[in-house]
């Protein structure tokens, strides 16, 4: 490895399995000291235990790296504050926050209960906001004290948040909210040396194993396009000094493919300079739609 993150202190949430585990190991391989956060819960957020986080720490230490486990609930203010404190108290600071923790409660909208909505919003959206809020407060204080850091935030959205996904109204809404949160963080925190970006990864994890079960290594190359380790190199680069100047962007990452997502941009427009009638507004809307690019299909509709 190149030591791209040598000396940096990195926090990864949901790092006991899947993408988070791959990210934590990849950062450690590049010289970072890693705080491995994980509650050890099931796919639906139930249960819990320290085993997954501890196992990742042991793997990092066995490979010659430095890591510490954190078992706090980052969707609570106390847990998020203790996460930042774990980095500062153990390693003397915090340079990179990777928000990755999450689980699923998939239902069609007519069957989606309020508890399932709240649980997914809590772990994904609130679980991004609270660690970011406490890390941002730390970085602002450091900057005001003349100890500014080249801080990095990498948030985890999803194609479901960019395009929508049938049966995942709660998850898609939360992941779309993460994109908005990332853009605001990039705009507000840049003055303190913080860069914030988001990824929309596609990989085989507990959350996606049914969708990608048949997508295995290509027989001729041995390359497993859906392995979570394929996403981590981009995350490590975004979390390093090498990404200087890159902020407020969203990237799709899958296999060997990286795509810069361009988001909402103004398309065809028409301005009469006066109030319209409903009929004229509809006629104009149809005209503009005919001139515009059609939307990409929602996941699960094709």
């Amino acid at each position: 490895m190149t030591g791209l993150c040598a000396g940096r202190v990195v926090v990864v949430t949901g790092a006991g399995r899947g993408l988070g585990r791959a990210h934590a190991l990849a950062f450690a391989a590049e010289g970072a000291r890693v705080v491995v956060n994980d509650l050890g819960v099931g796919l639906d957020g139930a249960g819990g235990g320290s085993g997954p986080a501890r196992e990742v720490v042991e793997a990092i230490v066995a490979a010659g790296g430095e890591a510490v486990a954190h078992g706090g609930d980052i969707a609570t203010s106390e847990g998020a504050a203790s996460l930042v404190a774990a980095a500062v108290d153990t390693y003397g600071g915090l340079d990179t926050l990777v928000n990755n923790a999450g689980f699923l409660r998939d239902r069609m909208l007519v069957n989606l209960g309020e508890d399932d909505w709240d649980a997914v919003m809590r772990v994904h959206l609130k679980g991004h906001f609270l660690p970011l809020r406490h890390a941002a407060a730390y970085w602002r204080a450091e900057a005001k004290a003349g100890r500014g850091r080249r801080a990095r935030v990498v948030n985890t959205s999803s194609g479901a948040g960019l395009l929508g996904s049938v049966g995942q109204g709660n998850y898609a809404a939360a992941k779309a909210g993460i994109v908005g949160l990332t853009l605001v963080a990039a705009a507000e925190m840049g003055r303190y040396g913080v860069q914030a970006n988001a990824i929309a990864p596609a990989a085989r994890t507990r959350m996606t194993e049914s969708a990608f079960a048949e997508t295995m290594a290509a027989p001729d190359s041995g390359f497993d396009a859906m392995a979570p380790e394929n996403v981590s190199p981009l995350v490590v680069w975004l979390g390093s000094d090498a990404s200087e100047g890159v902020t407020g962007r969203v990237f799709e990452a899958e296999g060997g493919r990286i795509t810069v997502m361009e988001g909402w941009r103004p398309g065809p427009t028409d301005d009469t300079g006066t109030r319209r009638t409903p009929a004229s507004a509809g006629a104009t809307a149809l005209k503009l739609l005919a001139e515009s690019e059609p939307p990409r299909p929602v996941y699960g509709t094709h």
Side-chain angles (χ1 to χ4, degrees):
M1 294 297 179
T2 63
L4 187 67
C5 293
R8 292 184 72 80
V9 179
V10 177
V11 164
V12 184
T13 70
R17 303 182 180 95
L19 283 165
R21 179 181 188 277
H23 299 340
L25 293 172
F27 272 108
E30 291 292 345
R33 293 166 288 176
V34 185
V35 179
V36 178
N37 163 265
D38 202 283
L39 285 177
V41 299
L43 181 58
D44 63 352
S50 61
R54 187 176 63 252
E55 289 170 7
V56 174
V57 169
E58 290 171 354
I60 290 173
V61 172
E66 295 183 65
V68 63
H70 177 268
D73 182 355
I74 46 83
T76 68
S77 187
E78 295 80 8
S82 71
L83 178 64
V84 173
V88 175
D89 294 346
T90 305
Y91 298 121
L94 173 60
D95 299 294
T96 298
L97 168 65
V98 179
N99 283 315
N100 168 78
F103 56 70
L104 296 176
R105 300 276 182 90
D106 291 354
R107 300 284 190 280
M108 301 296 281
L109 285 173
V110 295
N111 297 318
L112 182 59
E114 187 175 350
D115 289 346
D116 291 332
W117 174 273
D118 289 344
V120 168
M121 284 292 174
R122 179 183 183 275
V123 68
H124 287 280
L125 195 49
K126 193 175 182 182
H128 270 62
F129 161 65
L130 287 174
L132 175 56
R133 184 248 183 260
H134 285 281
Y138 166 74
W139 287 324
R140 182 180 63 178
E142 288 291 283
K144 289 185 174 182
R147 299 186 299 267
R149 311 176 82 95
R150 292 184 176 180
R152 305 287 188 261
V153 177
V154 184
N155 289 332
T156 306
S157 183
S158 168
L162 303 178
L163 300 176
S165 181
V166 171
Q168 293 188 308
N170 48 1
Y171 178 74
K175 289 302 191 182
I178 287 168
V179 172
L181 179 64
T182 302
L183 301 180
V184 172
E188 291 185 354
M189 297 304 297
R191 73 190 70 180
Y192 304 119
V194 181
Q195 294 181 183
N197 295 282
I199 60 165
R204 187 187 307 103
T205 67
R206 289 190 305 164
M207 290 172 57
T208 63
E209 60 185 357
S210 60
F212 297 137
E214 297 180 1
T215 309
M216 300 299 291
D220 55 340
S221 67
F223 177 56
D224 183 355
M226 289 294 104
E229 290 79 8
N230 299 330
V231 176
S232 300
L234 176 61
V235 175
V236 170
W237 182 80
L238 288 170
S240 74
D241 283 349
S243 64
E244 184 67 25
V246 179
T247 192
R249 306 307 295 263
V250 179
F251 299 84
E252 276 194 334
E254 174 185 343
R257 178 177 62 86
I258 295 173
T259 303
V260 176
M261 304 303 289
E262 295 188 328
W264 292 103
R265 295 176 180 272
T269 186
D270 183 277
D271 185 358
T272 64
T274 187
R275 183 180 301 151
R276 300 175 184 271
T277 66
S280 68
T284 299
L286 290 173
K287 172 180 175 291
L288 296 177
L289 287 169
E291 299 169 357
S292 67
E293 291 290 328
R296 294 174 62 186
V298 172
Y299 287 109
T301 59
H302 63 290

